[in-house]
Amino acid sequence: MRAAIAGASGYAGGELLRLLLSHPEIEIGALTAKSSAGTALGAHQPHLTPLADRILLDTTAETLAGHDLVFLALPHGQSAAVAEQLGDGTLVVDCGADFRLADPAAWDHFYGGAHAGTWPYGLPELPGQRDRLRGASRIAVPGCFPTAVTLAMFPAFAAGLVEPDVVVVAATGTSGAGKSLKPHLLGSEVMGSVSAYGVGGVHRHTPEMEQNLSPLAGGPVKVSFTAMLAPMSRGILATCTAPARAELTPQTLRETYEAATKDEPFLRLLPQGQWPATSMTLGANTAVLQVALDERAGRVVVVIALDNLTKGTAGGAIQSANLALGLPEELGLPLNGVAP
Amino acid sequence: MRAAIAGASGYAGGELLRLLLSHPEIEIGALTAKSSAGTALGAHQPHLTPLADRILLDTTAETLAGHDLVFLALPHGQSAAVAEQLGDGTLVVDCGADFRLADPAAWDHFYGGAHAGTWPYGLPELPGQRDRLRGASRIAVPGCFPTAVTLAMFPAFAAGLVEPDVVVVAATGTSGAGKSLKPHLLGSEVMGSVSAYGVGGVHRHTPEMEQNLSPLAGGPVKVSFTAMLAPMSRGILATCTAPARAELTPQTLRETYEAATKDEPFLRLLPQGQWPATSMTLGANTAVLQVALDERAGRVVVVIALDNLTKGTAGGAIQSANLALGLPEELGLPLNGVAP
Amino acid sequence: MRAAIAGASGYAGGELLRLLLSHPEIEIGALTAKSSAGTALGAHQPHLTPLADRILLDTTAETLAGHDLVFLALPHGQSAAVAEQLGDGTLVVDCGADFRLADPAAWDHFYGGAHAGTWPYGLPELPGQRDRLRGASRIAVPGCFPTAVTLAMFPAFAAGLVEPDVVVVAATGTSGAGKSLKPHLLGSEVMGSVSAYGVGGVHRHTPEMEQNLSPLAGGPVKVSFTAMLAPMSRGILATCTAPARAELTPQTLRETYEAATKDEPFLRLLPQGQWPATSMTLGANTAVLQVALDERAGRVVVVIALDNLTKGTAGGAIQSANLALGLPEELGLPLNGVAP
Amino acid sequence: MRAAIAGASGYAGGELLRLLLSHPEIEIGALTAKSSAGTALGAHQPHLTPLADRILLDTTAETLAGHDLVFLALPHGQSAAVAEQLGDGTLVVDCGADFRLADPAAWDHFYGGAHAGTWPYGLPELPGQRDRLRGASRIAVPGCFPTAVTLAMFPAFAAGLVEPDVVVVAATGTSGAGKSLKPHLLGSEVMGSVSAYGVGGVHRHTPEMEQNLSPLAGGPVKVSFTAMLAPMSRGILATCTAPARAELTPQTLRETYEAATKDEPFLRLLPQGQWPATSMTLGANTAVLQVALDERAGRVVVVIALDNLTKGTAGGAIQSANLALGLPEELGLPLNGVAP
């Protein structure tokens, strides 16, 4: 099978290529870009030695045609126009936000403008979702923060352990913001500093978290979400907490998470006493988590780490694509991080 | 006035010295240490050029005697033995935890062992506290996280804006852990990674936060606290959130914080739209904060940044010492950070 | 005395302001910028709390008029036009390159275009230079790398210890490149990575190093210079090496450097066995150095660390301005770094 | 084939395991350690999810017996005692220094004590070396800096382009120093700072560089080597310069390097105008290089980047082991880095 990558000069595009180079069943086809069309990939992704001399094509229906699957790693709002030119026989995997939300009102509130539609949501670990992805021809890859928060909290909500009032504070590396040339993303600004952004209910990933968790809770889940930008290139560490239901014991909590993760190839509940660090997952398609019951405060606390570009974007995209294509879900996806 | 510093080879001791070198009324006296006694300060604090050739003395009652004030920057549990040998005529400022907590049961639960006692708490911004520090002969310097969380939340509790159920997630730089030779503090481990620790109600700074906020709330405040270690040497960024009282408006919230901070020399409420970053406060005795009312989630969110070694330890210590000594509170304390 | 700062929104401008806020004889006057004119300084320099509400003016002859001194922290090539509108009664201190080089051919080779002229060179430690700066009305602040290399090598050349064939490799933090929005300066690109640039005799700071050292050597000095961009915001660490003259002994080398540095307020030769780190000088106007004679390779090796924004730009500028204004050379300049 | 790893809890051991997990012909056998024996690998290498539950054995002749190959990732000086208990039928690959040097006098001068002997040197790219490694039963893995410097300079010396007087300044990440609990390796010390060490002809990797280059030069090569510790976990960026022979042109220089690298699977000469960054090679077994002729200074400058743990240690070890075992040299070794 051959895959085209639209947006190959960016961070998500580069990570897709890094992973696909090790994928035994997917061959890399056209690489496209916008302003960088005509230049060699090596100028943008010098770490991808085997592809350094590949020339970037323009992102058009023509250059993307004739592939079995097309990954879209485009700025938000640009996927719909491209996707509609690709037939149903092509698997289209959108790493952008355009097709993630089911509720047009939520789309309008957080993104503004017309809602492009809703595609099957590419998070196989979400209960029931794996089956919906098999054979799909369109996939909306989740946001990196919603991936983290959903993987952290789905066991608690599915088992009814917590109240639907979640507080999430998550630190992320700078690659989540892409290669945008903005002053606050300069190395001089981010090194040695942690900052907050998207505070107070305005971060666009918030409704996606609520959309994922509410069905499991059997009613609306409220999420208070705060993002922190940390001085690292990759990684998300999310602390997720919700009020514990009265009768919850530490044993039940742990057993619930053990049961929910033990058959998941990419989730790892750490041994008791060990807490997640993003370095455990750098470059891997894994998420590591740990849980605690804070009996003084009456809260369940779940901490999860993953790589925003791998499990949080490109690895998650390939995992779902594997399902859609009838391949083994784990195919070509690294279980190891790179550390230290 | 002459000040001795016990623990001058460590990070808190070094920061005390850096600040005291610019203090117009305090002269630097004896510098003491334990295992480093007999070596030159320049081997441990090479950034303090004017003191590079000073020889570290042993930490004993004799070397600390004869000073107007003594700063203790010792490992937890070692301050009491030193302090009791220093008379009431000497101002003793303890940067450790030994004398922070009022409740022996909380001490025993979180620290274990016998409670050394309770000293006036060195956080002048805490309502009513400034007066208690004037003329004091003993000061317990707050922990760095409790400083951040208390400065973030005291206006909300004092004005009755929130419910007494606080969730705090705070990222800190590595200097908060001191110069301890532990594997997880190695550069190879911390660079490029954010990790969680002290999760689930076990972090020792938790009861101190509750102790500070409960009197303002008129009843017990519960704090769920999670700490993150971020890849930077200095800085704390704390996200603090609590359920908003039903009638709260964004205007009231902002006005409450404006009123609470406008006369505080070291607190700065940022203009609307700007969010705290730890780089805004590096090396300064300031704390910068911003507030939001998340109306969807029904929560007040306060984000605060400060330098854990300056306002969070050594600067806060000198600020309180200034009050105790009858000096202007701001004397010798930097209002500027060093950035980028 | 009142000082205006042109380019107050950039990194050099911010550092000038940070230092001037502690200067007892210089008051801060107009702050000017180009594209940021009309905005508050706090949006660009949020670490400068006391100036947060100051509004940036446009950089024009009018806004800069009426000050005793004007610091220009402008992109290269823009200083001449501004300076010629300021009379000789105003001390103009240019942090840019425009007036550093004496040789128009070198200017043309490395910068291209017309040579603006030559101003007194603002490096007081260069033998003979201190006197040339007293009473000057124009000062060309040295480049950050030439400052480091000249301070490292002037004693060796002045004492005739080495051959005039210098190899310099210097690592710098990202702030040396300013706030330019270029992809290679993004945090995602610079964190976790060291890269080379300006290699092979093309770096613009090379002729300035040769200009400083050749008179001391009594003939042309060749410098092979390579710059490395390191994952830190501030700091330069330069390794400078040249062939030792045959008879040189380690004792002579050390004594030469001791003699050359002992009366310099901002130079510190480290004790034997201790090697420079940029953290020793962060935010300070100091340079720390160490020397070795590599008898196997027949070379003198000098390593120097300084803060590119402080001693390498803004601090050096104020040091020279103090001389020009008849003030004590050290006035208002920090001898302490901020560490860790 | 089954491989044992002695020293599996350290950084070199962890990198060997990471790479071997993707090696199609080598199975991971015993994992051994000293002080960590009896603990789970996941406590030390949490990024190696598939091996997290493996228990570390003690490093003894018994635990290492019965494997086709044994990788030793031990502190210097400990390999000989272990190796002599393993028969010639076992391929022993030593990542330490014990068997690298041919000259006992150089060993004594730089390391002190008795010379353990000399094993085939595991740098296949060194002219003539590839054949010596085929079928070898003992391999001495080169030091990380000598790998970088030799790969950078062998083409110039083999083609007679430069004088035998090399200056090398190389920045490295902290993982090169291993997991040693030393104050200068703490995150608080290394973040935001570049420092020098091993200056003046004392770094132990110096004689190894000279040993590699001298035969190519047809006479003794002198190397002046200075190491810098940079704030990153992984990576070496080495600037290597030597006087150009009089007749050298930029064209000849480039063609020489093109010819020397074009058939090397792990060496990549970058396109003209692009300079190496360590991020290009993070986690890859590649080295990227660029060359320039500085005609003003009369010097060839070669800059090379590689990952000290991959190509510089564990990847290089597996590459040589592949040759010794009769496997394809590239087997199981990544050509892609992980970036950003």
Side-chain angles (χ1 to χ4, degrees):
Chain A
M1 276 173 281
R2 286 180 75 240
I5 288 86
S9 61
Y11 292 147
E15 186 72 352
L16 283 162
L17 291 171
R18 182 180 76 85
L19 297 172
L20 291 175
L21 279 164
S22 302
H23 196 291
E25 298 289 342
I26 301 179
E27 184 190 346
I28 295 171
L31 310 184
T32 79
K34 274 292 169 194
S35 59
S36 302
T39 63
L41 187 72
H44 310 281
Q45 313 281 13
H47 61 297
L48 301 178
T49 298
L51 300 171
D53 298 329
R54 293 282 296 269
I55 301 298
L56 290 164
L57 307 176
D58 196 11
T59 302
T60 66
E62 289 70 35
T63 57
L64 298 175
H67 294 83
D68 301 288
L69 69 164
V70 174
F71 291 96
L72 303 180
L74 303 172
H76 296 322
Q78 302 188 2
S79 296
V82 174
E84 69 189 18
Q85 299 184 279
L86 300 166
D88 280 357
T90 303
L91 171 60
V92 182
V93 183
D94 183 20
C95 296
D98 301 18
F99 298 97
R100 289 174 191 160
L101 293 186
D103 177 5
W107 177 270
D108 184 58
H109 181 77
F110 283 91
Y111 292 88
H115 185 218
T118 311
W119 286 359
Y121 190 74
L123 192 64
E125 293 87 354
L126 189 63
Q129 196 61 20
R130 192 163 266 127
D131 287 341
R132 291 183 202 113
L133 291 165
R134 292 189 217 281
S137 74
R138 294 291 184 269
I139 295 169
V141 179
C144 52
F145 287 123
T147 296
V149 174
T150 308
L151 295 178
M153 295 306 289
F154 83 85
F157 278 109
L161 309 186
V162 291
E163 303 293 338
D165 181 11
V166 184
V167 174
V168 176
V169 181
T172 183
T174 53
S175 63
K179 276 194 193 174
S180 335
L181 295 179
K182 295 179 182 158
H184 77 282
L185 297 176
L186 286 174
S188 297
E189 303 292 323
V190 296
M191 289 187 287
S193 184
V194 173
S195 57
Y197 71 101
V199 191
V202 302
H203 196 290
R204 291 173 163 185
H205 284 180
T206 311
E208 196 180 334
M209 299 172 191
E210 295 175 346
Q211 170 178 295
N212 293 347
L213 297 175
S214 294
L216 303 173
V221 171
K222 284 189 304 180
V223 176
S224 161
F225 176 54
T226 304
M228 292 179 173
L229 189 65
M232 59 186 183
S233 292
R234 289 176 175 237
I236 285 176
L237 188 86
T239 296
C240 311
T241 174
R245 290 266 155 85
E247 68 286 4
L248 184 63
T249 65
Q251 291 72 17
T252 301
L253 177 63
R254 179 136 197 112
E255 286 164 12
T256 301
Y257 273 77
E258 283 173 347
T261 57
K262 72 181 165 42
D263 295 328
E264 285 297 338
F266 297 114
L267 301 189
R268 178 159 193 260
L269 181 66
L270 290 171
Q272 284 181 298
Q274 191 174 27
W275 286 88
T278 62
S279 58
M280 296 177 182
T281 63
L282 194 144
N285 199 49
T286 53
V288 297
L289 50 168
Q290 183 58 285
V291 294
L293 178 60
D294 180 345
E295 295 181 275
R296 292 177 74 259
R299 288 187 162 268
V300 167
V301 186
V302 188
V303 179
I304 189 166
L306 53 76
D307 185 322
N308 59 302
L309 288 180
T310 320
K311 180 59 180 163
T313 306
I318 293 171
Q319 182 183 349
S320 291
N322 282 340
L323 284 169
L325 297 167
L327 299 170
E329 184 177 336
E330 304 95 316
L331 205 66
L333 292 169
L335 287 165
N336 295 321
V338 179
Chain B
M1 276 173 280
R2 285 180 75 241
I5 288 87
S9 61
Y11 292 147
E15 186 71 352
L16 282 163
L17 290 171
R18 182 179 76 85
L19 297 171
L20 291 175
L21 279 164
S22 301
H23 197 292
E25 298 289 343
I26 301 179
E27 185 191 345
I28 294 171
L31 310 183
T32 78
K34 274 289 169 197
S35 59
S36 300
T39 63
L41 187 73
H44 310 281
Q45 314 281 13
H47 61 298
L48 301 178
T49 298
L51 301 172
D53 299 329
R54 292 282 296 270
I55 301 299
L56 290 164
L57 308 175
D58 196 11
T59 302
T60 66
E62 288 70 33
T63 57
L64 298 175
H67 293 83
D68 301 288
L69 68 164
V70 174
F71 291 96
L72 304 179
L74 303 173
H76 295 322
Q78 302 188 2
S79 297
V82 175
E84 68 191 18
Q85 300 185 278
L86 300 165
D88 279 358
T90 304
L91 171 60
V92 183
V93 184
D94 183 19
C95 296
D98 301 18
F99 298 96
R100 291 174 190 159
L101 293 186
D103 177 6
W107 177 270
D108 184 57
H109 182 77
F110 282 90
Y111 290 89
H115 186 218
T118 311
W119 286 359
Y121 190 74
L123 192 64
E125 293 86 354
L126 189 63
Q129 196 62 20
R130 193 164 266 128
D131 287 339
R132 290 182 203 115
L133 291 165
R134 293 190 215 279
S137 73
R138 294 291 184 270
I139 295 169
V141 179
C144 52
F145 288 123
T147 296
V149 173
T150 307
L151 295 177
M153 295 305 288
F154 83 84
F157 278 109
L161 307 186
V162 292
E163 303 292 339
D165 180 12
V166 184
V167 174
V168 176
V169 181
T172 183
T174 52
S175 63
K179 275 194 192 173
S180 336
L181 295 178
K182 294 178 183 161
H184 77 283
L185 296 176
L186 287 174
S188 297
E189 303 291 322
V190 296
M191 288 188 287
S193 185
V194 172
S195 58
Y197 70 101
V199 191
V202 301
H203 196 290
R204 290 174 164 184
H205 285 179
T206 310
E208 196 179 334
M209 300 173 191
E210 295 175 345
Q211 169 178 298
N212 292 349
L213 298 175
S214 294
L216 303 172
V221 171
K222 284 189 305 179
V223 176
S224 160
F225 176 55
T226 304
M228 292 178 172
L229 190 66
M232 59 186 184
S233 292
R234 287 176 177 238
I236 285 177
L237 188 85
T239 297
C240 311
T241 174
R245 289 265 155 85
E247 69 285 3
L248 184 63
T249 65
Q251 291 72 16
T252 302
L253 176 62
R254 179 134 199 113
E255 287 163 11
T256 301
Y257 273 78
E258 283 173 348
T261 57
K262 73 179 162 46
D263 295 328
E264 284 296 339
F266 298 114
L267 301 189
R268 180 161 191 257
L269 181 66
L270 291 171
Q272 283 181 298
Q274 191 174 27
W275 286 89
T278 63
S279 57
M280 296 176 182
T281 63
L282 194 144
N285 199 49
T286 53
V288 296
L289 51 166
Q290 183 57 287
V291 295
L293 177 60
D294 180 345
E295 296 182 273
R296 293 177 76 258
R299 287 187 164 268
V300 167
V301 186
V302 188
V303 179
I304 190 166
L306 53 77
D307 184 322
N308 58 302
L309 288 181
T310 320
K311 180 61 179 161
T313 304
I318 294 171
Q319 183 182 348
S320 291
N322 282 340
L323 284 168
L325 296 168
L327 299 170
E329 183 177 337
E330 304 94 317
L331 204 65
L333 292 169
L335 286 165
N336 295 322
V338 179
Chain C
M1 276 174 281
R2 284 181 75 239
I5 287 87
S9 60
Y11 291 148
E15 186 71 351
L16 283 163
L17 290 170
R18 183 180 74 86
L19 296 172
L20 292 175
L21 279 163
S22 302
H23 196 292
E25 298 288 342
I26 301 178
E27 185 191 345
I28 295 171
L31 309 184
T32 79
K34 273 290 168 195
S35 59
S36 302
T39 63
L41 187 74
H44 310 282
Q45 315 280 14
H47 60 298
L48 301 178
T49 298
L51 301 171
D53 298 329
R54 292 283 295 270
I55 302 298
L56 290 163
L57 307 176
D58 196 11
T59 301
T60 67
E62 289 69 35
T63 57
L64 298 176
H67 293 83
D68 301 288
L69 68 164
V70 174
F71 291 96
L72 304 179
L74 303 172
H76 295 322
Q78 301 188 3
S79 297
V82 174
E84 68 190 19
Q85 299 184 278
L86 299 167
D88 281 356
T90 304
L91 171 60
V92 182
V93 183
D94 182 19
C95 297
D98 301 19
F99 298 97
R100 289 173 191 161
L101 293 186
D103 177 7
W107 178 270
D108 184 58
H109 181 77
F110 282 91
Y111 291 89
H115 185 218
T118 311
W119 286 359
Y121 191 74
L123 192 63
E125 294 86 353
L126 189 62
Q129 196 61 21
R130 193 163 267 125
D131 287 340
R132 291 183 203 112
L133 291 165
R134 292 190 215 282
S137 74
R138 294 291 184 269
I139 295 169
V141 179
C144 52
F145 288 124
T147 296
V149 173
T150 307
L151 295 178
M153 296 305 288
F154 83 84
F157 279 110
L161 308 187
V162 292
E163 304 291 340
D165 181 13
V166 184
V167 175
V168 176
V169 181
T172 184
T174 52
S175 63
K179 276 194 191 173
S180 336
L181 295 178
K182 295 178 182 159
H184 77 282
L185 296 177
L186 286 174
S188 297
E189 303 291 323
V190 297
M191 288 188 287
S193 185
V194 173
S195 59
Y197 71 99
V199 190
V202 302
H203 196 288
R204 289 171 163 187
H205 283 180
T206 311
E208 196 180 335
M209 298 172 192
E210 295 175 347
Q211 170 178 297
N212 293 348
L213 297 175
S214 294
L216 303 173
V221 171
K222 286 189 303 183
V223 176
S224 161
F225 176 55
T226 303
M228 292 177 172
L229 190 66
M232 58 187 184
S233 292
R234 290 175 174 237
I236 285 178
L237 188 85
T239 296
C240 310
T241 172
R245 289 268 155 84
E247 68 286 4
L248 184 63
T249 64
Q251 290 72 16
T252 301
L253 177 61
R254 180 135 197 114
E255 286 164 13
T256 301
Y257 273 77
E258 284 173 347
T261 56
K262 71 180 165 43
D263 295 328
E264 285 295 339
F266 297 114
L267 301 189
R268 179 161 191 257
L269 180 66
L270 291 171
Q272 283 182 297
Q274 191 174 26
W275 285 89
T278 63
S279 57
M280 297 177 183
T281 64
L282 195 144
N285 200 47
T286 53
V288 296
L289 49 168
Q290 184 55 287
V291 294
L293 177 61
D294 180 345
E295 296 183 273
R296 292 178 74 257
R299 288 188 162 270
V300 166
V301 187
V302 188
V303 179
I304 189 165
L306 54 75
D307 184 321
N308 58 301
L309 288 180
T310 321
K311 179 62 180 159
T313 305
I318 294 171
Q319 183 183 349
S320 291
N322 282 340
L323 284 169
L325 297 168
L327 298 171
E329 185 177 336
E330 304 94 317
L331 204 67
L333 293 168
L335 287 165
N336 295 322
V338 179
Chain D
M1 277 175 280
R2 285 180 75 241
I5 288 86
S9 60
Y11 291 147
E15 186 72 352
L16 283 163
L17 290 171
R18 182 180 75 87
L19 297 171
L20 291 175
L21 279 163
S22 302
H23 196 292
E25 298 288 343
I26 301 179
E27 185 190 344
I28 294 171
L31 309 184
T32 79
K34 275 289 170 197
S35 59
S36 301
T39 63
L41 188 72
H44 311 281
Q45 313 281 12
H47 60 299
L48 302 178
T49 298
L51 301 172
D53 298 330
R54 293 283 296 271
I55 301 299
L56 290 164
L57 307 176
D58 196 11
T59 301
T60 65
E62 288 69 36
T63 57
L64 298 175
H67 294 83
D68 300 289
L69 68 165
V70 174
F71 291 96
L72 304 179
L74 303 173
H76 295 322
Q78 302 188 2
S79 296
V82 174
E84 68 190 17
Q85 299 184 280
L86 299 166
D88 280 357
T90 304
L91 172 60
V92 182
V93 183
D94 182 20
C95 296
D98 301 18
F99 298 98
R100 288 173 191 162
L101 293 186
D103 178 5
W107 178 270
D108 184 57
H109 181 77
F110 282 91
Y111 291 88
H115 185 219
T118 312
W119 286 359
Y121 190 74
L123 192 64
E125 293 86 354
L126 189 63
Q129 196 62 20
R130 194 164 265 127
D131 287 342
R132 291 183 203 113
L133 291 165
R134 292 191 215 282
S137 73
R138 294 291 184 271
I139 295 170
V141 178
C144 52
F145 286 123
T147 295
V149 174
T150 307
L151 295 177
M153 294 306 288
F154 83 84
F157 279 110
L161 308 186
V162 292
E163 304 291 339
D165 182 12
V166 184
V167 174
V168 176
V169 181
T172 184
T174 52
S175 63
K179 275 194 194 174
S180 337
L181 294 179
K182 295 178 182 160
H184 77 284
L185 297 176
L186 286 174
S188 297
E189 303 291 323
V190 297
M191 288 188 287
S193 185
V194 172
S195 58
Y197 71 99
V199 192
V202 302
H203 196 289
R204 290 172 164 185
H205 283 180
T206 310
E208 195 180 334
M209 299 173 192
E210 295 177 345
Q211 170 178 297
N212 292 349
L213 297 175
S214 294
L216 303 172
V221 171
K222 285 189 304 182
V223 176
S224 161
F225 176 55
T226 304
M228 291 177 174
L229 190 66
M232 58 187 184
S233 292
R234 288 175 176 237
I236 286 177
L237 188 86
T239 296
C240 310
T241 174
R245 289 267 154 85
E247 68 286 2
L248 184 63
T249 65
Q251 292 71 19
T252 301
L253 176 62
R254 179 133 197 116
E255 287 163 13
T256 300
Y257 273 78
E258 284 174 347
T261 57
K262 73 179 163 47
D263 295 329
E264 284 296 338
F266 297 114
L267 301 189
R268 178 158 192 261
L269 180 66
L270 291 171
Q272 285 182 297
Q274 192 174 27
W275 285 89
T278 63
S279 58
M280 296 177 181
T281 63
L282 194 145
N285 199 48
T286 53
V288 297
L289 50 169
Q290 184 56 287
V291 295
L293 178 61
D294 180 344
E295 296 183 272
R296 291 178 76 258
R299 288 188 163 269
V300 167
V301 186
V302 189
V303 179
I304 190 165
L306 54 75
D307 184 322
N308 59 300
L309 288 181
T310 320
K311 180 60 181 162
T313 305
I318 293 172
Q319 183 183 348
S320 291
N322 281 340
L323 283 169
L325 296 167
L327 299 170
E329 185 177 335
E330 303 93 319
L331 205 66
L333 292 168
L335 286 165
N336 295 323
V338 179

